C-alpha cells in the first residue's frame, strides 16, 4: 500500500528517576498502550530509549514479553533512538555515534530486533546524523517539518512562510507547502518521514485534545473522518509524540480511535522503503530544532555552566584512555539538565559531572 | 495551643475530599484545643446560587471557636494574576486586610490545606499572626499518571506548592504515593514529609459481611470530573447491561461533567440501570454504603481514596483501578480488587462471578472491614496533635 497512518510513541525517563516512577510509566502508559494494539490488531511503532529499555528489563519483564509477542504478530516496529535523550547540537560526534550504537545494541540484545527506522527525540536534528544513521544501517528517520522553519539561512526567503501559499518549510531547493509534509522525502542516505504537527496537536498535545476529553468520543469520530479525507496516494499521516500521552485519562479514546481505523491503514515507518511509493528527492537535510534558536536549550546561566563543564569533560576524555567513563558521560548528556523546569533533581547530574571531572 | 485551619473547603461549603478532611479534623480536635477556621472557597461560584453574594463574609462561632467563610469573586483570580504577572501581592494584601480583622489572636500554628492559600498563609506568618505553618498536601502537582504529562497551569501550581513547602515546618500527605510525588518534584528533605493516612467511619452493624441482594446493588461515589474516569464507568455499565444479571447502580456525585455524563447514560439507554444523585448529605450517605454489594472506583489518579476506604468499612466488594495510592488501601484479592485501567472489561467478569457466587467473596469483604478499621480518624488526629505539640514546643 502506498499510503497509511504511522502511529509512533516515544518513551524516555532520565536515570535520575526512581524505579517507582518507571513502574508508574509501565503500568499507566506502556502496558496499556501495548495491550490496546494487541487487542485491536493495529500496527504501530515504538521508540524506547536504550537506557530506559534496559531499566525496564530489570524491573518488569512483562513489557519485553509483550513487545516480543507484538513483534511475532507483526504489529509493532521497534524504532531506534539515542541511548539517552540528548540534544544533538550540543553533543560531539563521537558521543552521538556512541548513543546510536549503544541503543541499537540494547535493542538487539533484549528484543532480537535491529531497528531500521530512527526516532529523533524532540525532533532536534543535526545534519551529520544522516551519515551516522546510514553507517549503522538505518533506512528511515522520523522528523517534524515545523522544526525546519528556521533551519536554513535563506533569509531572503523568510517572507515565504507568511504569504498565502502557507509555506511551511524551506528545505534546500524544496519548498514544502502545508500537506506536502505528509509525503516521503529521501536523500542518498535515508528516507524521511515528517510528523504532522497540526494533527498531533489536535490529537494528543496538552489536555484539550481528541484523546484526553474522555467524555467526547465524537471528537475521535471527527478526527478519523478528517484523517481519511487527507489520505492520498504517497501520503503518510504520521502521528507521533511522547508515549505518556497514553495514560488512564486518554486510554479509552485511544483504543476507540484504534477501533475506528481500517484494518490495514496503520503501517510502519519501515514500509516507506517500498518502491511503490513516490518519494521526493532532497540533496541535503539541514539541521533543525523545535525552536529557531540554540538559546532555547541554553537559555539560562545554569545550562551554560553545565555545558561548559561537559566541554571540559570532553577535552579530558579525548586526552585519556578511559572507556569505563564513557557510560557516565553518555548519562550526563541527557537533556534533563537543560530542559526540565523543576530543578530539584539537577544536583544529581551536577554532582556526577563534578566527580567525573575530578576523577 | 491555638490553631487556625486555613482551607478552601469547610462545611457546608464542601466540594470533595478536602472538605471532608477539614471537617473531620476540626470535629475531632475542637474540644481539645482552641481551633478557628478560615475558609476561602476557591470554588465559590458553586455556592453563589445558594444566595451567597460575591463578597460575603459569613461568621459562625461554635464552642468558642470562630469559623469564617470568606467569599470574594476575585479569589479565583490568584492563578490568573500570577500567570499574567499582575500584582498578586496587592490581591493578597487586600484579602489579608479583609480577613485578618476577624482573627485578632496570635496562633501557634496555621494548619494550611493545599497550595491555593499558601501566599495568604505566608502573609499571616510575616505579620506575626502565627509562629509556624504546618501544611497538608492533598493533591500534589505531579501525582498524575506520569511525572512527565503535566497539567495546564502547572507552573503556577508548582510555584504555590513550592511556597507552601518552603515556609512549612512539616508537610503532611495522605499516602506514600503522595510523599514520593512531593519529594521527587521539590527539593525537600524526606524527614519533612509525614504520611498520615486519612480515617474512615465504620458501621458497627457491618461487623459481619451481609449477604448479597437479589438485584445487585452497585455504588460509586465520586466527583464527576475527568480525573475520575467517567467513561470507564459507562463502558462497564454498558457491558453489565448486556449481561443477564439484574443490577442497579447508584452514582453519587456532582461536577463539571455532570450534564454530559447524564446525557451519555441516557443516549446509551442505560438510565434504567442507573440512579444519579448529585448530592447526598454526609450523614445520610452511610445508608447507600450499607445497602451496596459492590463499590466501584474508576479513578485515573488518586492520592488517598476516601470513598474506597469507606466502602471497605461497610463490607462492600471494593473494586478500583490501581492508580496512585489505591494499592495502599486495597490489597488485591485479599480485601478488595485492583485492575489496570486497560482491564476494565475484567471488572465486569468479576461482578458477574460475584453475582453468581457471592459466598466465594465473603472473606474478602470481611477482610475489607478489618483493613478499613486501620484507617481511623482518631489515630490520624492523635498523630496530628502530637506533631503540633512537637512543633509548638520548639
Amino acid at each position: 500500500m502506498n499510503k497509511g497512518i504511522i502511529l509512533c510513541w516515544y518513551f524516555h525517563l532520565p536515570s535520575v528517576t526512581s524505579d517507582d516512577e518507571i513502574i508508574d510509566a509501565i503500568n499507566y502508559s506502556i502496558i496499556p498502550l501495548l495491550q490496546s494494539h494487541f487487542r485491536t490488531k493495529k500496527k504501530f511503532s515504538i521508540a524506547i530509549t536504550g537506557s530506559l529499555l534496559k531499566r525496564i528489563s530489570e524491573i518488569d519483564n512483562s513489557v519485553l514479553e509483550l513487545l516480543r509477542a507484538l513483534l511475532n504478530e507483526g504489529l509493532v516496529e521497534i524504532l531506534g533512538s539515542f541511548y539517552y535523550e540528548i540534544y544533538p547540537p550540543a553533543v560531539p560526534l563521537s558521543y552521538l555515534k556512541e548513543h546510536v550504537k549503544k541503543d541499537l545494541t540494547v535493542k538487539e540484545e533484549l528484543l532480537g530486533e535491529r531497528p531500521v527506522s530512527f526516532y529523533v527525540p524532540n525532533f532536534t536534528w543535526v545534519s551529520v546524523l544522516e551519515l551516522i544513521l546510514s553507517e549503522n544501517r538505518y533506512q528511515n528517520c522520523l522528523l517534524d517539518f515545523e522544526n525546519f522553519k528556521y533551519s536554513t539561512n535563506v533569509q531572503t526567503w523568510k517572507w515565504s512562510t507568511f504569504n498565502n501559499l502557507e509555506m511551511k518549510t524551506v528545505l534546500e531547493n524544496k519548498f514544502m507547502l502545508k500537506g506536502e509534509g505528509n509525503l516521503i522525502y529521501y536523500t542518498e542516505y535515508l528516507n524521511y518521514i515528517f510528523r504532522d504537527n497540526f494533527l498531533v496537536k489536535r490529537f494528543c498535545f496538552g489536555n484539550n485534545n481528541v484523546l484526553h476529553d474522555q467524555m467526547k468520543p465524537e471528537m475521535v469520530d471527527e478526527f478519523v473522518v478528517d484523517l481519511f479525507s487527507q489520505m492520498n496516494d504517497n501520503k503518510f499521516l504520521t502521528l507521533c509524540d511522547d508515549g505518556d500521552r497514553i495514560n488512564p485519562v486518554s486510554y479509552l479514546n485511544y483504543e476507540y480511535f484504534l477501533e475506528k481505523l481500517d484494518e490495514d491503514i496503520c503501517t510502519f515507518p519501515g514500509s516507506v522503503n517500498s518502491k511503490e511509493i513516490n518519494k521526493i528527492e532532497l540533496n541535503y537535510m539541514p539541521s533543525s530544532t523545535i525552536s529557531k534558536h540554540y538559546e532555547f536549550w541554553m537559555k539560562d546561566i545554569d545550562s551554560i555552566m553545565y555545558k561548559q563543564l561537559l566541554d571540559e569533560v570532553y577535552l579530558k576524555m579525548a586526552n585519556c584512555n578511559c572507556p569505563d567513563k564513557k557510560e557516565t558521560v553518555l548519562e550526563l548528556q541527557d537533556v534533563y539538565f537543560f530542559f526540565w523546569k523543576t530543578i530539584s533533581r539537577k544536583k544529581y547530574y551536577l554532582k556526577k559531572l563534578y566527580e567525573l571531572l575530578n576523577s | 495551643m491555638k490553631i487556625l485551619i486555613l482551607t478552601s473547603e469547610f462545611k457546608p461549603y464542601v466540594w470533595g475530599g478536602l472538605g471532608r478532611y477539614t471537617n473531620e479534623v476540626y470535629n475531632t480536635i475542637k474540644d481539645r484545643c482552641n481551633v478557628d477556621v478560615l475558609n476561602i472557597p476557591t470554588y465559590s461560584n458553586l455556592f453563589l446560587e445558594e444566595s451567597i453574594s460575591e463578597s460575603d463574609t459569613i461568621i459562625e462561632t461554635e464552642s468558642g471557636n470562630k469559623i469564617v467563610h470568606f467569599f470574594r469573586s476575585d479569589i479565583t483570580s490568584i492563578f490568573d494574576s500570577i500567570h499574567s504577572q499582575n500584582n498578586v501581592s496587592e490581591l493578597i494584601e487586600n484579602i489579608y486586610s479583609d480577613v485578618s480583622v476577624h482573627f485578632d489572636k496570635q496562633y501557634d500554628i496555621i494548619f494550611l490545606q493545599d497550595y491555593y492559600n499558601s501566599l495568604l498563609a505566608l502573609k499571616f506568618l510575616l505579620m506575626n499572626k502565627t509562629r509556624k505553618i504546618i501544611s497538608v498536601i492533598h493533591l500534589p502537582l505531579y501525582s498524575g499518571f506520569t511525572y512527565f504529562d503535566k497539567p495546564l497551569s502547572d507552573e503556577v501550581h508548582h510555584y504555590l506548592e513550592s511556597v507552601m513547602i518552603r515556609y512549612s515546618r512539616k508537610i503532611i500527605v495522605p499516602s506514600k504515593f503522595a510523599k514520593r510525588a512531593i519529594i521527587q518534584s521539590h527539593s525537600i528533605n524526606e524527614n519533612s514529609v509525614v504520611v498520615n493516612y486519612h480515617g474512615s467511619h465504620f458501621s458497627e452493624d457491618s461487623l459481619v459481611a451481609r449477604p448479597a441482594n437479589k438485584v445487585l446493588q452497585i455504588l460509586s461515589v465520586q466527583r464527576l470530573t475527568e480525573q475520575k474516569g467517567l467513561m470507564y464507568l459507562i463502558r462497564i455499565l454498558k457491558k453489565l447491561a448486556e449481561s443477564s444479571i439484574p443490577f442497579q447502580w447508584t452514582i453519587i456525585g456532582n461536577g463539571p461533567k455532570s450534564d454530559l455524563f447524564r446525557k451519555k447514560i441516557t443516549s446509551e439507554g442505560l438510565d434504567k440501570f442507573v440512579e444519579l444523585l448529585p448530592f447526598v448529605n454526609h450523614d445520610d450517605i452511610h445508608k447507600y454504603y450499607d445497602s451496596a454489594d459492590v463499590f466501584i472506583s474508576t479513578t485515573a489518579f488518586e492520592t488517598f481514596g476516601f470513598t474506597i476506604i469507606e466502602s471497605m468499612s461497610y463490607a462492600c466488594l471494593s473494586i478500583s483501578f490501581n492508580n496512585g495510592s489505591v494499592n495502599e488501601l486495597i490489597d488485591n484479592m485479599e480485601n478488595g480488587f485492583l485492575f489496570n485501567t486497560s482491564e476494565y472489561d475484567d471488572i465486569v467478569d468479576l461482578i458477574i462471578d460475584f453475582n453468581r457466587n457471592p459466598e466465594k467473596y465473603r472473606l474478602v469483604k470481611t477482610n475489607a472491614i478489618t483493613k478499613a478499621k486501620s484507617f481511623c480518624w482518631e489515630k490520624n488526629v492523635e498523630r496530628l496533635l502530637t506533631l503540633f505539640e512537637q512543633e509548638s514546643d520548639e
Side-chain angles (χ1 to χ4, degrees):
Chain A
M1 176 141 66
N2 65 346
K3 59 184 175 186
I5 293 170
I6 294 174
L7 286 169
C8 172
W9 300 105
Y10 169 75
F11 290 92
H12 173 68
L13 286 170
S15 52
V16 73
T17 43
S18 62
D19 284 356
D20 281 333
E21 286 172 275
I22 293 184
I23 291 168
D24 281 348
I26 290 171
N27 289 336
Y28 297 159
S29 291
I30 297 175
I31 287 188
L33 169 69
L34 301 183
Q35 282 176 342
S36 65
H37 281 275
F38 210 83
R39 261 205 281 270
T40 59
K41 305 293 179 207
K42 299 287 157 47
K43 290 179 182 166
F44 76 113
S45 44
I46 189 167
I48 303 176
T49 56
S51 57
L52 177 59
L53 192 65
K54 196 166 163 215
R55 276 188 82 182
I56 286 173
S57 72
E58 289 157 6
I59 291 171
D60 186 348
N61 211 43
S62 62
V63 173
L64 265 66
E65 282 170 6
L66 252 175
L67 280 171
R68 288 184 200 115
L70 285 160
L71 279 165
N72 283 341
E73 300 245 338
L75 289 170
V76 69
E77 180 182 344
I78 306 294
L79 304 188
S81 190
F82 298 114
Y83 189 63
Y84 289 97
E85 183 175 312
I86 57 172
Y87 176 56
V91 176
L93 176 70
S94 63
Y95 293 97
L96 273 180
K97 284 183 168 185
E98 193 62 29
H99 275 286
V100 169
K101 272 202 175 73
K102 231 174 138 66
D103 178 79
L104 273 169
T105 306
V106 165
K107 278 158 191 171
E108 276 182 304
E109 270 171 15
L110 292 176
L111 295 169
E113 275 285 303
R114 189 182 175 92
V116 297
S117 306
F118 191 86
Y119 184 99
V120 183
N122 303 306
F123 305 105
T124 300
W125 168 260
V126 285
S127 46
V128 74
L129 260 176
E130 185 174 64
L131 304 169
I132 299 172
L133 295 182
S134 172
E135 196 173 68
N136 284 281
R137 293 185 271 143
Y138 275 103
Q139 294 164 14
N140 313 298
C141 185
L142 276 81
L143 292 173
D144 182 292
F145 66 73
E146 277 287 300
N147 292 4
F148 286 86
K149 202 182 271 200
Y150 302 100
S151 65
T152 63
N153 288 322
V154 191
Q155 294 184 356
T156 53
W157 287 355
K158 259 190 197 167
W159 59 266
S160 66
T161 60
F162 302 111
N163 67 18
N164 290 336
L165 290 173
E166 290 191 59
M167 213 68 72
K168 289 298 158 196
T169 293
V170 179
L171 301 177
E172 195 201 61
N173 85 333
K174 290 285 184 294
F175 292 97
M176 188 190 282
L177 294 168
K178 184 181 171 189
E180 287 185 328
N182 305 128
L183 302 170
I184 306 299
Y185 294 76
Y186 76 99
T187 63
E188 64 188 286
Y189 300 106
L190 293 171
N191 296 321
Y192 291 96
I193 301 160
F194 287 93
R195 170 178 94 146
D196 191 316
N197 203 303
F198 300 104
L199 283 179
V200 167
K201 279 191 173 132
R202 200 175 144 196
F203 185 51
C204 63
F205 187 77
N207 292 67
N208 195 15
N209 56 61
V210 166
L211 286 190
H212 276 81
D213 202 332
Q214 217 183 60
M215 298 296 292
K216 292 184 186 163
E218 55 270 22
M219 282 175 67
V220 175
D221 296 324
E222 285 165 18
F223 184 72
V224 171
V225 165
D226 284 349
L227 276 186
F228 280 104
S229 70
Q230 292 181 47
M231 297 294 292
N232 290 319
D233 282 349
N234 301 304
K235 271 203 175 176
F236 289 82
L237 302 180
T238 304
L239 303 172
C240 46
D241 210 335
D242 293 340
D244 60 10
R245 306 290 184 220
I246 308 305
N247 53 56
V249 173
S250 63
Y251 176 79
L252 270 186
N253 275 0
Y254 184 67
E255 198 166 79
Y256 181 59
F257 166 74
L258 293 178
E259 284 163 1
K260 296 288 292 183
L261 299 177
D262 293 343
E263 207 174 288
D264 53 0
I265 199 65
C266 289
T267 188
F268 299 137
S271 67
V272 307
N273 292 335
S274 163
K275 291 194 171 107
E276 270 183 37
I277 298 159
N278 290 334
K279 306 181 190 64
I280 300 177
E281 192 183 353
L282 289 176
N283 185 42
Y284 174 69
M285 182 63 77
S287 304
S288 71
T289 181
I290 58 175
S291 178
K292 59 182 172 181
H293 298 304
Y294 179 82
E295 282 76 26
F296 171 81
W297 293 90
M298 304 294 165
K299 61 185 168 190
D300 54 286
I301 303 290
D302 219 22
S303 297
I304 293 169
M305 179 259 332
Y306 189 82
K307 173 76 171 57
Q308 281 179 347
L309 291 174
L310 272 177
D311 288 340
E312 233 185 280
V313 165
Y314 299 145
L315 210 57
K316 283 200 165 185
M317 290 290 290
N319 290 330
C320 85
N321 184 18
C322 34
D324 53 316
K325 305 263 188 261
K326 211 160 193 186
E327 169 84 35
T328 309
V329 179
L330 295 181
E331 183 190 353
L332 293 171
Q333 290 166 332
D334 196 304
V335 291
Y336 185 90
F337 202 95
F338 302 109
F339 190 70
W340 289 107
K341 283 179 265 188
T342 171
I343 61 172
S344 64
R345 296 195 280 184
K346 278 183 166 183
K347 190 162 94 173
Y348 170 92
Y349 288 94
L350 188 64
K351 206 171 153 207
K352 235 176 172 170
L353 181 51
Y354 190 72
E355 280 165 7
L356 185 65
L357 272 169
N358 284 343
S359 65
Chain B
M1 194 168 27
K2 298 189 207 73
I3 297 165
L4 173 64
I5 298 176
L6 176 51
T7 179
S8 53
E9 287 185 47
F10 195 77
K11 60 177 182 185
Y13 310 108
V14 168
W15 166 239
L18 170 55
R20 193 174 316 187
Y21 175 81
T22 49
N23 289 331
E24 291 287 353
V25 166
Y26 172 78
N27 287 335
T28 315
I29 68 174
K30 66 182 179 186
D31 297 325
R32 296 168 66 169
C33 47
N34 191 315
V35 56
D36 295 338
V37 178
L38 170 56
N39 179 29
I40 307 181
T42 49
Y43 301 102
S44 55
N45 56 311
L46 285 179
F47 308 111
L48 288 178
E49 292 166 7
E50 296 176 22
S51 63
I52 295 168
S53 79
E54 285 186 351
S55 54
D56 263 350
T57 305
I58 299 167
I59 303 168
E60 302 163 0
T61 49
E62 193 183 297
S63 315
N65 297 319
K66 187 181 273 188
I67 299 166
V68 175
H69 302 284
F70 182 80
F71 290 91
R72 273 273 288 261
S73 58
D74 58 356
I75 208 78
T76 51
S77 64
I78 288 177
F79 257 57
D80 297 332
S81 294
I82 296 173
H83 240 305
S84 50
Q85 293 171 353
N86 283 346
N87 202 341
V88 69
S89 299
E90 202 179 297
L91 178 64
I92 299 297
E93 283 287 344
N94 290 341
I95 296 170
Y96 176 78
S97 67
D98 286 348
V99 299
S100 59
V101 296
H102 304 290
F103 299 98
D104 49 10
K105 52 176 105 129
Q106 199 208 34
Y107 293 92
D108 296 297
I109 287 167
I110 281 188
F111 189 38
L112 174 63
Q113 308 301 309
D114 260 343
Y115 62 90
Y116 205 88
N117 289 311
S118 58
L119 291 175
L120 186 62
L122 178 58
K123 185 69 183 174
F124 270 82
L125 185 70
L126 292 172
M127 299 304 287
N128 213 24
K129 284 278 199 181
T130 184
R131 293 169 50 221
K132 286 174 191 169
I133 300 173
I134 291 178
S135 299
V136 184
I137 297 185
H138 296 274
L139 192 65
L141 171 62
Y142 292 120
S143 58
F145 18 80
T146 70
Y147 179 80
F148 296 97
D149 194 9
K150 299 186 289 296
L152 292 172
S153 73
D154 66 315
E155 280 188 47
V156 176
H157 184 158
H158 197 237
Y159 163 68
L160 291 174
E161 204 171 80
S162 299
V163 168
M164 187 183 191
I165 286 170
R166 166 68 179 85
Y167 292 102
S168 296
R169 293 286 299 204
K170 279 275 191 278
I171 306 293
I172 299 167
V173 291
S175 61
K176 289 178 195 161
F177 170 78
K179 178 171 181 171
R180 179 162 60 83
I182 293 287
I183 287 169
Q184 281 162 358
S185 59
H186 292 275
S187 295
I188 186 170
N189 191 317
E190 197 176 321
N191 297 331
S192 309
V193 186
V194 175
V195 176
N196 196 16
Y197 289 111
H198 296 332
S200 182
H201 292 292
F202 321 104
S203 164
E204 291 303 321
D205 297 336
S206 297
L207 283 175
V208 176
R210 64 202 174 287
N213 292 296
K214 277 202 175 127
V215 174
L216 198 68
Q217 299 296 316
I218 303 176
L219 177 67
S220 293
V221 181
Q222 57 189 66
R223 290 197 319 274
L224 300 185
T225 62
E226 239 143 38
Q227 176 199 348
K228 299 298 184 181
L230 298 178
M231 278 308 282
Y232 292 106
L233 275 183
I234 291 178
R235 289 281 183 116
I236 295 166
L237 190 50
K238 221 172 151 178
K239 222 178 162 201
L240 264 180
E242 288 163 10
S243 73
S244 53
I245 66 165
F247 74 97
Q248 184 68 26
W249 195 329
T250 304
I251 301 173
I252 299 174
N254 206 348
K257 300 288 181 183
S258 295
D259 287 342
L260 197 52
F261 187 63
R262 191 179 288 274
K263 280 186 192 143
K264 281 262 180 265
I265 286 180
T266 309
S267 68
E268 299 275 2
L270 299 168
D271 36 335
K272 56 181 179 280
F273 299 103
V274 178
E275 185 186 14
L276 285 174
L277 298 171
F279 178 75
V280 168
N281 196 303
H282 187 63
D283 295 331
D284 294 331
I285 204 165
H286 69 91
K287 293 180 213 157
Y288 292 90
Y289 282 117
D290 215 7
S291 57
D293 299 300
V294 176
F295 178 89
I296 294 179
S297 167
T298 52
T299 185
F301 52 95
E302 198 67 75
T303 51
F304 179 67
F306 264 121
T307 56
I308 294 169
I309 209 70
E310 278 173 346
S311 74
M312 290 168 75
S313 73
Y314 282 90
C316 300
L317 187 75
S318 302
I319 303 171
S320 174
F321 283 151
N322 186 9
N323 292 330
S325 61
V326 180
N327 58 22
E328 294 175 54
L329 309 181
I330 293 179
D331 303 301
N332 191 25
M333 296 197 284
E334 215 177 282
N335 45 45
F337 290 89
L338 296 174
F339 291 87
N340 289 333
T341 44
S342 53
E343 294 168 340
Y344 57 87
D345 275 350
D346 295 346
I347 292 179
V348 176
D349 295 338
L350 173 68
I351 294 172
I352 292 171
D353 190 57
F354 170 74
N355 185 62
R356 286 191 188 129
N357 189 2
E359 270 305 302
K360 191 171 143 190
Y361 297 87
R362 187 178 170 86
L363 184 59
V364 170
K365 295 172 82 178
T366 310
N367 288 343
I369 300 170
T370 310
K371 182 73 188 248
K373 280 191 172 176
S374 65
F375 292 89
C376 162
W377 278 119
E378 281 71 32
K379 243 197 259 179
N380 175 294
V381 171
E382 269 314 316
R383 211 153 172 227
L384 210 56
L385 285 174
T386 307
L387 195 65
F388 287 167
E389 274 153 22
Q390 277 168 2
E391 288 302 323
S392 54
D393 283 345
E394 283 177 23

